[in-house]
Amino acid sequence: MSRLVTAGVTASRRRPVLVGVGCVVLALGIALASLEPGSLFTSMTSADVFVFEQLLLPRVLIALLAGASLALSGAVFQSLTRNPLGSPDVLGFTQGAATGALVGVTVLGGATLVVAGSAWIGAVASAALVYLIARRGGVTGGPRLVLVGIGVAAMLGGVNDYLITRANISDAAQAALWITGSLDGSTWSGVVLLAAAAAILMPPLILASRALRIFEMGEDLAVGLGLRTELLRLSALAAAVVLAATAASQTGPVAFVALCAPHVARRLTRASGPNLVPSALVGAVLLVAADWLARYAIPDRELPVGAVTGLLGGGYLAFLLAQQRRTGRI
Amino acid sequence: MQPNHASGPASRLAARRLTISYTHRTVVRELDLEIPDGSFTVLIGPNGCGKSTVLRALARVLKPSGGEVFLDGTPIAGLPSRHVARTVGLLPQAPITPDGITVAELVARGRYPHQGPLRRESPEDRRVVERCLEQTGIGDLAARPMAELSGGQRQRAWIAMALAQDTELLLLDEPTTYLDLAHQMDVLDLCARLHRDGRTVVAVLHDLNQAARYATHLIAMRDGAILAAGPPATTLTADLVQQAFDLPARIIEDPESGTPLVIPRVHR
């Protein structure tokens, strides 16, 4: 009997570790491949060194960090909304970030730092707005948050369309590229920023895994088990939004990483619960792989990484939904 | 039946002048209620009478708009949530089964209020989980995914999870809903056993005859107020059924248990 109990509890603990190790190996492997190691061993000109140190290396590091940040944030959102389609977008995240970026490009002059800052503010502000509207009597039910988020996102979408029609053509192109998501402008200061955000925000979120596991079983049960649900919801939402906004300020709101990575992680680990660490690792793999594809899929033409994750993520999501439909779960 | 407001409540779990409102509707108004220590208390009443609402307020899942729930003489709202979770367990009506979870994992989650933020499962946790699996008769299902179980087995697993919380008071919201008759009796027998082992059990039930057979204390409600409370034998009368449900009925003796048996009259 005891062996059965132990088996029941631990069977699902070995796979996540294996998946984690696999993801780290894969992420580092793709990262190394993207760094074009061949050139490292041949004689490098000073121009090559510059390209490697100032363009390639920060780009790969940002892909890893942003992928992990967006995916972790997505996993937290799916857990908190108890909805497999949850992502920071539930709080109007992408639209808010886009509004911020558009204002940065069209009104504030479009310097890289300004766009990053205004996008960050746009994302965080729209999330805060959704939370405050959804909150009633100190409580924000999951569905209410999602519904208010859809409404606010639609409004911000209108604002964005207006701003784009008002912008001149080069501003509009710059904004569109940012909204699609791109790793082109990656810098070392961006790496430092994302690493700092990850170092500050990821550990508490990962520590919240246990609480999120309880939260997933429903509001009443979680409260009955002594969880302060509204406190968890507010603090985890805030941390996840800031983490995703910081990532997006450097890369743009790269489509689907937040939505897709947790699903891939769950399928790989087959573990219950929010799967935060596996999700983050899968996100890192996903973005660094998407960036690699973006650069090499079409010779002599680089795609914006967001277009690749959109294609891959969208395809995967459709596959997932079709499969769940076949097994009768939707 | 009128409790004395000047002195504190006599039992561990009680409510005083409890008022609960949803946005535009008051469901429960100025309700006084005692859960006798060591009882198997069953709340009965028509749909929408507020019995589940009262149960959820007793577990401080619902915040009352007026009045107070008392746990061991102290207003429950002011107690640390972990302390409450170690004293009062709640199995709500529709808990969400996490994707891909096994029975043992589910039951282990009941240990949450006994664990710290960093601590993993202790040997004590594992012992309690094992005991609860056996008490509910699902020890051999421990490693099975919840999704593979039948409705009756799943309900046992949920009860085992609530048991793993290791509380002296256990609140169950309609634990027999969606089960066939045999599994209903099965779950109620389990509740009765938990009660005999020394727990105070409070359940919301729909079936009056089951309530009469298993409860030691019956609370009948209608429109957010208590109509009657006491032992089933003296409380469950034809008058009460008429008052609570507008249902003309006869009460006869249950030939099996000797408790009241409600027979609705034939309408012509």
Side-chain angles (χ1 to χ4, degrees):
Chain A
M1 185 75 67
S2 161
R3 210 182 310 132
L4 261 181
V5 173
T6 319
V9 176
T10 56
S12 48
R13 282 198 187 147
R14 233 166 282 141
R15 279 187 75 94
V17 176
L18 286 176
V19 170
V21 172
C23 281
V24 170
V25 171
L26 205 58
L28 292 181
I30 299 170
L32 282 177
S34 333
L35 289 177
E36 297 163 19
S39 64
L40 281 180
F41 302 107
T42 56
S43 57
M44 285 170 91
T45 64
S46 61
D48 290 339
V49 172
F50 175 82
V51 166
F52 179 79
E53 280 185 3
Q54 296 304 318
L55 298 178
L56 273 177
L57 200 53
R59 180 185 186 122
V60 166
L61 289 174
I62 285 202
L64 291 171
L65 285 166
S69 298
L70 289 167
L72 181 64
S73 168
V76 169
F77 267 87
Q78 288 176 14
S79 184
L80 284 175
T81 55
R82 299 190 189 97
N83 184 337
L85 296 182
S87 80
D89 279 339
V90 163
L91 297 186
F93 175 83
T94 299
Q95 303 295 348
T99 307
L102 278 164
V103 169
V105 170
T106 57
V107 182
L108 302 173
T112 312
L113 260 181
V114 171
V115 175
S118 55
W120 190 93
I121 291 170
V124 173
S126 67
L129 180 69
V130 170
Y131 181 85
L132 288 176
I133 295 176
R135 191 174 163 108
R136 187 177 301 149
V139 184
T140 36
R144 196 158 64 222
L145 207 61
V146 174
L147 292 174
V148 173
I150 290 173
V152 168
M155 284 168 60
L156 289 174
V159 172
N160 294 348
D161 290 344
Y162 172 75
L163 285 175
I164 284 182
T165 58
R166 294 286 307 228
N168 66 48
I169 197 81
S170 72
D171 282 358
Q174 189 193 347
L177 180 64
W178 187 89
I179 292 168
T180 311
S182 164
L183 292 164
D184 245 355
S186 301
T187 59
W188 277 108
S189 57
V191 174
V192 172
L193 180 69
L194 291 201
I200 294 169
L201 295 170
M202 280 188 180
L205 279 174
I206 289 167
L207 273 184
S209 282
R210 283 188 61 240
L212 288 172
R213 261 201 282 276
I214 299 301
F215 186 90
E216 286 181 337
M217 295 196 289
E219 201 78 17
D220 284 13
L221 198 75
V223 173
L225 283 169
L227 190 70
R228 296 169 68 188
T229 50
E230 198 54 38
L231 182 70
L232 175 73
R233 185 152 33 216
L234 176 57
S235 53
L237 281 182
V241 163
V242 171
L243 189 65
T246 310
S249 76
Q250 298 303 308
T251 64
V254 187
F256 272 125
V257 173
L259 181 66
C260 190
H263 286 286
V264 178
R266 187 182 300 278
R267 288 181 73 86
L268 292 174
T269 62
R270 290 189 206 148
S272 58
N275 270 303
L276 294 187
V277 176
S279 296
L281 294 173
V282 166
V285 172
L286 220 60
L287 199 53
V288 84
D291 184 44
W292 186 79
L293 270 179
R295 277 190 286 160
Y296 296 108
I298 303 174
D300 299 324
R301 166 167 294 192
E302 184 179 321
L303 298 166
V305 69
V308 177
T309 58
L311 286 172
L312 286 181
Y316 174 72
L317 197 69
F319 163 76
L320 190 77
L321 293 178
Q323 203 184 37
Q324 286 191 337
R325 195 179 161 74
R326 223 174 299 127
T327 55
R329 288 178 61 199
I330 292 181
Chain B
M1 189 46 223
Q2 268 306 311
N4 183 356
H5 289 295
S7 69
S11 48
R12 296 193 66 184
L13 191 59
R16 288 287 176 271
R17 304 182 70 90
L18 191 67
T19 301
I20 304 165
S21 318
Y22 295 123
T23 321
H24 296 299
R25 202 165 63 94
T26 299
V27 186
V28 173
R29 197 184 297 276
E30 307 237 327
L31 183 103
D32 288 319
L33 169 142
E34 299 270 341
I35 305 296
D37 294 346
S39 67
F40 185 165
T41 296
V42 173
L43 293 167
I44 56 170
N47 290 333
C49 73
K51 51 194 191 302
S52 281
T53 304
V54 167
L55 195 80
R56 293 174 74 216
L58 288 177
R60 59 103 177 71
V61 166
L62 273 185
K63 218 161 76 190
S65 37
E68 208 94 61
V69 171
F70 289 88
L71 178 62
D72 294 324
T74 315
I76 203 167
L79 289 170
S81 43
R82 179 191 292 240
H83 170 82
V84 176
R86 287 177 175 187
T87 317
V88 185
L90 168 72
L91 181 56
Q93 227 174 88
I96 300 164
T97 310
D99 262 349
I101 198 168
T102 65
V103 173
E105 278 180 302
L106 184 89
V107 177
R109 290 192 180 181
R111 296 302 294 162
Y112 181 74
H114 299 273
Q115 297 164 338
L118 287 170
R119 222 192 60 191
R120 286 213 151 211
E121 228 157 71
S122 70
E124 160 77 0
D125 290 335
R126 217 160 288 175
R127 263 197 305 280
V128 174
V129 168
E130 216 170 292
R131 193 187 69 218
C132 297
L133 284 166
E134 269 175 66
Q135 265 181 318
T136 49
I138 50 171
D140 50 338
L141 301 177
R144 291 265 296 277
M146 280 290 277
E148 288 178 9
L149 305 192
S150 71
Q153 291 170 326
R154 210 170 298 161
Q155 190 61 2
R156 276 165 173 262
W158 278 111
I159 293 175
M161 194 233 52
L163 271 184
Q165 204 174 332
D166 209 11
T167 56
E168 283 151 22
L169 293 122
L170 186 57
L171 313 183
L172 307 160
D173 198 353
E174 298 194 19
T176 54
T177 315
Y178 306 125
L179 299 180
D180 64 40
L181 186 58
H183 283 111
Q184 288 178 25
M185 299 316 262
D186 203 56
V187 163
L188 289 169
D189 281 333
L190 176 61
C191 294
R193 208 156 56 237
L194 299 173
H195 166 243
R196 273 199 304 278
D197 291 346
R199 275 187 197 77
T200 303
V201 178
V202 186
V204 170
L205 292 181
H206 266 298
D207 189 309
L208 298 181
N209 298 328
Q210 290 174 355
R213 186 183 277 198
Y214 286 92
T216 62
H217 187 77
L218 212 55
I219 298 177
M221 291 183 60
R222 176 167 186 171
D223 300 332
I226 293 178
L227 293 178
T234 52
T235 310
L236 190 57
T237 60
D239 268 357
L240 180 73
V241 176
Q242 175 69 45
Q243 264 188 318
F245 297 91
D246 292 328
L247 178 75
R250 293 170 58 192
I251 307 286
I252 61 169
E253 192 185 278
D254 184 331
E256 277 296 316
S257 56
T259 50
L261 189 65
V262 179
I263 311 285
R265 289 187 178 272
V266 177
H267 293 280
R268 285 193 205 280

